[in-house]
Amino acid sequence: MHSPRLTRRDVLRAAAAASTVGALPSLHAQGNWPAKPVQMIVPFPAGGGTDAFARPLAAQFAQQTKQQLVIDNKGGAGGTVGATLASRAAPDGYNFFMGAVHHTIAPSIYPRLEYDLQKDLIPISLVARVPQVVVVNPQRIPARDFKEFLALMKANPGKYNYASAGNGTSHHLAGELFKLQTKTFITHIPYRGAGPALQDLITGSADLMFDGLGSSAAHIKGGRIKALMVAGNKRVPVFPDVPAASEVGLPDYTVTTWYGIWAPKGTPAEAQQRMHEEVRKAVQSDTLKAVWAGQGAEFPNLSQQQFAAFIDSEVKRWAQVVKAANVKAD
């Protein structure tokens, strides 16, 4: 049996059809993006620092585009469970991921990650940068200021504990750096996110946290927890009475939490660009400027290329910190 002979017209018709099919996702993404709700994985439980920025951003995004930005909280393993899921999501321009500084630390903490941050995910936008703060439950740690707090930690090695958002998060590393620089010992208790950790701090099940100001700000203002120090060399306008690390004898104690958006590898360039533009527009709106200011955050306004370079530098920086502090996943 012989195959039917293909004419030149048949070949051209088939090629045209194939090119049309291949172009559909890209055309769909760029022509009227977003034409349907956009999904964004947040790799921590609700109530944490990532949520504090993701949810206001989602509301502003919906107002701008008339399409929902649906937040999907997938916590676990210091944010790496959600990152794994995001790396496997369909790269159709409708799946994104809001991660954090924690994800540049994870490669040095977890020996076998199921994704590669720098190969499987595409940097879209750096959304917010906020200093970390040392916060305590005032009923558990009755220190009036940082000096009293430090004296208490030095006099009671191992008695007190600090909660973190999980192994390999900036909360964890900030705690280990603090212990290293102050020659203290505070027991680490990892949680599945900053939200659950904060709840235990507020109720008194945990003693203190090295938290991102974004998730702690409202609780500090409400008097549920007490801020003793900002990790860095300057105070933050939203809490002008809280001293910076450089003012209390720790000039090298600088830890900043930041949050950013990625897309799965293979996401159409047009959708990447549109998402970057919508995020920039949203964060520069009067509404989100007020939200960011209230949490002591700034918007760095980096291009995609600048964000990618920033991620590379953070991976290298945290690898050095992990090695110097001999940090292990508990």
Side-chain angles (χ1 to χ4, degrees):
M1 182 176 178
H2 296 285
S3 300
R5 187 182 176 201
L6 294 177
T7 66
R8 183 172 181 274
R9 180 176 296 174
D10 292 329
V11 173
L12 291 174
R13 187 182 295 122
S19 66
T20 301
V21 171
L24 283 176
S26 178
L27 288 171
H28 182 66
Q30 68 172 316
N32 56 347
W33 187 96
K36 61 180 182 179
V38 177
Q39 305 289 324
M40 188 159 73
I41 289 177
V42 169
F44 295 100
T50 319
D51 246 30
F53 293 98
R55 293 190 180 275
L57 175 63
Q60 185 66 27
F61 178 92
Q63 185 176 326
Q64 290 173 188
T65 67
K66 311 306 177 188
Q67 290 289 352
Q68 280 188 297
L69 180 59
V70 181
I71 303 299
D72 187 9
N73 293 94
K74 298 289 187 183
T80 62
V81 170
T84 299
L85 294 172
S87 71
R88 297 172 180 173
D92 58 2
Y94 288 87
N95 286 293
F96 292 86
F97 167 68
M98 188 163 177
V101 58
H102 320 308
H103 294 92
T104 59
I105 300 170
S108 299
I109 296 286
Y110 294 93
R112 295 185 188 84
L113 289 175
E114 296 184 50
Y115 68 95
D116 187 317
L117 180 68
Q118 294 167 284
K119 292 181 180 179
D120 299 330
L121 292 163
I122 301 168
I124 300 296
S125 181
L126 182 56
V127 172
R129 187 160 51 198
V130 58
Q132 295 223 212
V133 61
V134 178
V135 286
V136 302
N137 180 304
Q139 305 304 315
R140 301 280 295 176
I141 299 180
R144 290 174 296 180
D145 54 29
F146 180 79
K147 183 179 179 181
E148 288 189 2
F149 164 74
L150 184 57
L152 194 63
M153 295 302 107
K154 288 189 173 183
N156 298 278
K159 178 179 177 180
Y160 296 99
N161 63 65
Y162 77 94
S164 83
N167 287 315
T169 61
S170 61
H171 308 75
H172 180 194
L173 267 289
E176 297 306 306
L177 269 180
F178 180 85
K179 289 157 60 176
L180 189 68
Q181 293 188 12
T182 59
K183 296 180 172 58
T184 54
F185 178 69
I186 312 168
T187 304
H188 175 222
I189 302 178
Y191 285 76
R192 289 177 60 86
L198 265 172
Q199 286 306 308
D200 269 13
L201 177 64
I202 291 166
T203 60
S205 298
D207 299 324
L208 65 131
M209 276 185 76
F210 300 87
D211 192 28
L213 196 52
S215 47
S216 281
H219 303 295
I220 297 169
K221 291 174 184 174
R224 292 177 287 276
I225 55 179
K226 182 178 178 66
L228 297 177
M229 180 190 74
V230 173
N233 58 12
K234 63 180 180 179
R235 299 190 182 200
V236 293
V238 68
F239 294 111
D241 296 331
V242 180
S246 57
E247 297 177 78
V248 295
L250 295 173
D252 298 323
Y253 187 69
T254 301
V255 184
T256 301
T257 295
W258 53 263
Y259 305 93
I261 293 175
W262 284 259
K265 180 182 178 181
T267 296
E270 296 82 5
Q272 294 180 40
Q273 182 180 353
R274 283 297 309 281
M275 185 59 157
H276 178 81
E277 291 169 355
E278 292 298 339
V279 168
R280 175 180 283 177
K281 179 180 176 182
V283 178
Q284 292 181 319
S285 68
D286 290 340
T287 300
L288 292 199
K289 277 183 178 178
V291 174
W292 266 227
Q295 301 184 88
E298 63 176 1
F299 171 53
N301 197 13
L302 304 183
S303 67
Q304 277 189 260
Q305 293 74 22
Q306 289 171 328
F307 183 30
F310 174 71
I311 290 168
D312 291 343
S313 67
E314 285 286 274
V315 169
K316 293 172 183 174
R317 176 197 176 208
W318 287 111
Q320 294 173 348
V321 172
V322 168
K323 184 177 180 181
N326 195 28
V327 177
K328 306 290 183 185
D330 293 345

